[in-house]
Amino acid sequence: MIRSALVSLLVLAPQLPVRAGPPLLAPPPVVQRQGQAMISGGALCPALQTALESAVGTEERLWSVSVVDQRGQLLADLNGGIPRIPASNQKLVSTAFALDRLGPDFRLKTQLLRHPDGSLEIVGEGDPDLSIAEIQKFAMVALGQGGSSSTSSSASAPVQLMVREEPRQLWWPADWDPADRSYAYGAPITRLALTSNALHMAVMDPAARLQRILNSTVQQQGGQIRLQMVDQRTREAALARNWRASVVLHSEDSAPMHALLSLANTESHNFTAEVLMREAADVWDVNRASIATTRWLQAQGIPMTGLRLRDGSGLSRGNRLTSRSLSVLLWRMAQHPLAAYYQASMAIAGQRGTLRNYFWGTPLVGRFWGKTGTLSGVRSISGILETTDGPRYVSMITNGSYVPNSVMGQILLASQRISRCPAWTAAVMLPAEPD
């Protein structure tokens, strides 16, 4: 189950570097970020720039690489303004958006409601770890509100239960490859998603599966239930017109947001990333949620040239990001009051998540926190690199490289080795020009 993975992430996560910041259990409110990244003046570190060019060799046109320091200064850059398919590096965007908008203690809720007219309804927000046992609890509580029993002397009407869900045409982003949709990583995105709508493969009709479990649970208790699938938007509009307070009969909460962030970034769980973007945008339509995320990025001062968002997970090949955008986003989030949560959500070189098997035997182990991305012909990696001269915010995207892993390792090691550059030092010490 995903929940056991979440518990492991929380228990086994290594300590973050000591930094001034809020205690993890009592974060302060989000405040306006200050400052802008300095990326327009070109790279300041020729030695690092040369190392990047040497690492990519003859594949230079296939790569975008950007390295930003703790001041927001671009130290080295190779095709950093060219938009490319980012694969799962897209999750760094959706999780940053969700953390900023919702905070680390937000939980996705699945609830059984009783409306003033007596009708019962199950509503959800896309909990990626909603289990069969939890759905069975909903069925039992609904049965306790009325229904018939095979042992009763007179048959009663079955329990009437509405199940609110998105229409089928919205279960997948429109440009997800149909071949991906049958796999667990491409499972449909629904509000009521038992085990993230995946077993060994995707559950192609999660609404039907949910109905079968509800029906069988009630029948095992000798009861009857009549289910009605209702459209989310139609139902919301109807309730808004005739608003009266409903009663929550039963509720199941997801793991807290900071654990969901780790699931999305450390383990690269597509379903979770999609749900987080939608919840942060407060709209389930992926196109409208993508627009809201794009506007948020613009408000953070992220370079927007060529940027295009189509989903929250990176499975869409219509996404476009630049390495400059990602490195500046990482730098911007390092200024955020909840920065520790964001960094803690990432995989760690040689230790955890999708980076657990990378960079063994190098100084990168335990010192690079990042997010990987993989699609056919696409490799990306972006994250926070600890150096003796402070953090470096590094992003690399390649669309078409033959040996991407080797190149990425070389670039990270060079960024760590050349962390103090003479040109950088000179720029820092340069006196201000007179007015």
Side-chain angles (χ1 to χ4, degrees):
M1 291 294 294
I2 295 171
R3 183 159 289 142
S4 63
L6 289 171
V7 171
S8 298
L9 287 169
L10 293 175
V11 173
L12 299 178
Q15 294 294 314
L16 288 171
V18 176
R19 66 171 73 195
L24 292 182
L25 296 180
V30 174
V31 296
Q32 179 66 37
R33 271 74 62 200
Q34 301 296 324
Q36 294 290 330
M38 296 173 282
I39 62 171
S40 59
L44 270 187
C45 191
L48 183 55
Q49 184 71 27
T50 299
L52 300 190
E53 294 169 358
S54 175
V56 300
T58 59
E59 291 188 341
E60 180 173 338
R61 65 181 181 83
L62 305 176
W63 283 85
S64 291
V65 186
S66 300
V67 182
V68 170
D69 70 9
Q70 65 268 39
R71 304 173 305 156
Q73 172 66 57
L74 188 66
L75 295 184
D77 185 81
L78 188 66
N79 301 324
I82 295 178
R84 300 188 191 272
I85 302 170
S88 281
N89 271 209
Q90 185 89 354
K91 293 182 177 71
L92 289 172
V93 175
S94 52
T95 54
F97 180 43
L99 180 60
D100 182 68
R101 284 288 182 89
L102 302 173
D105 297 316
F106 174 83
R107 295 174 185 260
L108 300 160
K109 295 184 179 298
T110 307
Q111 296 180 326
L112 174 64
L113 305 179
R114 184 177 65 213
H115 299 299
D117 62 2
S119 61
L120 303 178
E121 185 172 24
I122 296 179
V123 298
E125 295 178 328
D127 181 356
D129 198 31
L130 185 65
S131 68
I132 292 175
E134 288 170 331
I135 283 296
Q136 289 172 331
K137 291 179 186 177
F138 285 105
M140 296 299 290
V141 175
L143 184 61
Q145 297 297 305
S148 65
S149 171
S150 59
T151 59
S152 62
S153 57
S154 61
S156 302
V159 174
Q160 306 287 329
L161 178 62
M162 289 180 288
V163 179
R164 195 187 304 182
E165 190 51 272
E166 296 294 325
R168 186 182 182 89
Q169 62 266 28
L170 297 181
W171 287 359
W172 290 274
D175 59 356
W176 278 15
D177 192 314
D180 288 329
R181 300 182 187 191
S182 62
Y183 292 95
Y185 64 80
I189 313 302
T190 63
R191 290 178 178 268
L192 296 165
L194 293 174
T195 60
S196 299
N197 292 334
L199 297 170
H200 299 296
M201 300 288 282
V203 175
M204 302 301 286
D205 193 344
R209 181 190 181 205
L210 181 70
Q211 290 185 73
R212 287 195 300 271
I213 292 171
L214 288 168
N215 274 319
S216 64
T217 302
V218 170
Q219 289 170 8
Q220 287 171 9
Q221 301 300 314
Q224 297 181 35
I225 192 168
R226 181 173 297 161
L227 294 172
Q228 178 186 2
M229 301 300 296
V230 293
D231 176 82
Q232 173 74 23
R233 284 183 288 182
T234 302
R235 185 65 177 155
E236 284 182 341
L239 292 173
R241 287 194 300 270
N242 302 286
W243 185 88
R244 288 183 290 171
S246 301
V247 176
V248 178
L249 298 177
H250 184 68
S251 181
E252 295 285 346
D253 291 352
S254 73
M257 174 62 79
H258 59 84
L260 297 174
L261 294 174
S262 291
L263 184 59
N265 284 335
T266 295
E267 301 300 335
S268 203
H269 194 246
N270 288 342
F271 184 95
T272 301
E274 293 293 339
V275 169
L276 290 181
M277 185 182 75
R278 289 159 172 76
E279 285 298 317
D282 195 27
V283 61
W284 203 259
D285 180 89
V286 68
N287 296 320
R288 294 168 62 193
S290 295
I291 291 171
T293 308
T294 302
R295 289 173 176 165
W296 178 83
L297 283 172
Q298 189 171 23
Q300 309 311 304
I302 307 302
M304 301 298 290
T305 302
L307 186 145
R308 187 170 69 202
L309 304 186
R310 289 290 183 265
D311 67 7
S313 64
L315 192 54
S316 169
R317 287 182 171 271
N319 293 312
R320 294 293 184 275
L321 291 175
T322 68
S323 58
R324 286 181 195 166
S325 295
L326 284 166
S327 58
V328 172
L329 173 65
L330 290 162
W331 170 78
R332 174 64 87 187
M333 289 302 293
Q335 304 173 61
H336 197 286
L338 302 176
Y341 289 101
Y342 190 59
Q343 181 169 343
S345 75
M346 299 179 197
I348 304 175
Q351 295 183 352
R352 189 178 74 182
T354 57
L355 284 171
R356 65 173 65 87
N357 295 322
Y358 286 86
F359 311 127
W360 285 350
T362 76
L364 299 174
V365 172
R367 301 191 68 188
F368 178 69
W369 301 66
K371 179 77 200 72
T372 59
T374 304
L375 288 171
S376 177
V378 178
R379 287 286 281 122
S380 59
I381 188 169
S382 301
I384 303 166
L385 176 64
E386 296 174 6
T387 79
T388 56
D389 297 295
R392 298 292 180 261
Y393 305 98
V394 185
S395 177
M396 293 172 267
I397 309 173
T398 177
N399 292 172
S401 173
Y402 289 102
V403 286
N405 291 351
S406 174
V407 173
M408 289 173 171
Q410 291 177 54
I411 289 173
L412 287 173
L413 286 168
S415 300
Q416 191 177 58
R417 184 177 68 254
I418 312 173
S419 60
R420 179 170 291 276
C421 181
W424 177 85
T425 304
V428 172
M429 301 301 296
L430 192 66
E433 291 289 335
D435 293 333

